[in-house]
Amino acid sequence: QGCTQKYIVKNYFYYYLFKFSAALGEEIFYITFLPFTYWNIDHSVSRRMIIVWSIVMYIGQVSKDILKWPRPLSPPVVKLEVRTNAEYGMPSTHAMAATAISFSFFIATMNQYKYPFELGLVAAFVFSTLVCLSRLYTGMHTVLDVIGGALISAVLLILLYPVWDMIDHLLLTSPFCPLLSIVVPLVLCYNYPKLDYYSPTRGDTTTILGAAAGATVGFWLNNKYTAPVYTSKSFQLGLSLVTSKMVVVLARFFVGILVVLLTRWLMKSMVLGVLGYRYKFPIRDLEARRRLEVEVPYKFITYSSVGFTATVIVPLLHKLLGL
């Protein structure tokens, strides 16, 4: 269902602030920030964030479709988004993702880099708070949805923190890692809770698990066959970056994002073409693309390729280009 309400923006500062903040919990942020940390900051920090992000988001997405709590009624609420309106509300996965990513980044870096503890804590709190408030401003969630999402994410972080070094070690060294990284997410996607109507939650979950699966296989291959390209010493948060260093950082980022986006476009076209031929539907048929036998393989293969490219192909290209 589309958003049919008309509204007048009376405060453009809040409007653009919270529209931007809402984007910090969506694909555009994941596909830029998570690879950026891998290419320019520290492999171990990026790995931990991706582990936490994928687990938290899967639990959040499934919880939505199990609890089936509706989003705020419109009217009286004015909804500024359309796509996610078909999803249920509780918990807010924007709030969960923002809390998980900001605080896992803070926890993973606080003992490795020299910066004020208070500054990192405030930055994580401000980031997650802005995203949470954006869900209220855009009319997509109730206060309870947002608080519930943040609390669930916090509890999961507390539970995962004592074992994330062990999980990270197993993902890097276990000979079963590549197989399990593909099979387990696929099983979870194909057995996702069924609804009476179509919701983008299954597709979004497949996207997240696919990207994490591809990245995990990349982590394993890098650890087994190549030396790490970037370590924690290559980018110290407590030091001022000189111009030449900033140029290298930006070059890594833009080269990497270009390759990642190209990979996503190519794999999406190829996989949809194959599935369209197999199941006899035109590529632009949106209803056909929502079917389980199409949506799961299409999104999983596309985004696992993106995750693999970001962790294996792009670093190799950086090394080839002298970046």
Side-chain angles (χ1 to χ4, degrees), residues 4 13 52 57 81 91 94 104 119 143 145 161 170 189-190 194 204 212 234 248 259 277 291 293 315-317 320:
T4 58
F13 173 77
V52 171
M57 288 299 288
E81 295 180 13
H94 273 72
S104 62
L119 177 63
V143 174
D145 294 342
Y161 177 69
L170 288 174
C189 292
Y190 275 108
K194 294 179 174 60
D204 291 345
S234 68
V248 172
V259 174
Y277 177 79
R291 287 154 45 188
E293 66 270 22
L316 289 175
L317 182 59
L320 182 64

Side-chain angles (χ1 to χ4, degrees), residues 217-275:
V217 173
F219 299 152
W220 184 85
L221 284 174
N222 286 338
N223 183 70
K224 188 173 181 62
Y225 295 107
T226 65
V229 181
Y230 312 122
T231 65
S232 59
K233 296 180 180 179
S234 68
F235 184 86
Q236 292 293 337
L237 297 180
L239 301 177
S240 298
L241 288 176
V242 295
T243 303
S244 59
K245 181 64 177 178
M246 183 62 76
V247 169
V248 172
V249 168
L250 292 175
R252 287 176 183 169
F253 175 71
F254 286 115
V255 167
I257 286 298
L258 180 63
V259 174
V260 164
L261 293 178
L262 181 62
T263 299
R264 184 178 67 166
W265 176 74
L266 284 174
M267 293 306 299
K268 179 179 178 180
S269 301
M270 289 174 56
V271 175
L272 277 178
V274 171
L275 291 172

Side-chain angles (χ1 to χ4, degrees), residues 28-67:
I28 184 65
F29 176 72
Y30 305 145
I31 208 169
T32 53
F33 179 71
L34 294 177
F36 179 87
T37 61
Y38 191 77
W39 300 331
N40 292 299
I41 299 180
D42 193 304
H43 284 181
S44 65
V45 172
S46 181
R47 289 197 306 268
R48 283 160 174 75
M49 282 198 300
I50 290 173
I51 291 168
V52 171
W53 168 67
S54 58
I55 293 173
V56 165
M57 288 299 288
Y58 175 77
I59 292 174
Q61 295 286 71
V62 169
S63 298
K64 280 179 185 285
D65 291 339
I66 291 176
L67 294 174

Side-chain angles (χ1 to χ4, degrees), residues 169-207:
H169 178 73
L170 288 174
L171 291 178
L172 291 178
T173 60
S174 172
F176 303 105
C177 172
L179 179 62
L180 292 177
S181 296
I182 299 299
V183 173
V184 173
L186 273 176
V187 170
L188 294 176
C189 292
Y190 275 108
N191 291 277
Y192 192 83
K194 294 179 174 60
L195 296 176
D196 295 332
Y197 65 93
Y198 177 79
S199 167
T201 50
R202 184 183 65 201
D204 291 345
T205 304
T206 305
T207 294

Side-chain angles (χ1 to χ4, degrees), residues 102-103 106 115 117-129:
S102 59
F103 281 93
F106 168 60
Y115 65 86
F117 175 86
E118 295 79 6
L119 177 63
L121 183 62
V122 169
F125 180 78
V126 169
F127 179 92
S128 56
T129 299

Side-chain angles (χ1 to χ4, degrees), residues 68-82:
K68 298 183 178 180
W69 287 19
R71 289 184 182 270
L73 293 176
S74 177
V77 170
V78 177
K79 295 185 178 180
L80 305 186
E81 295 180 13
V82 176

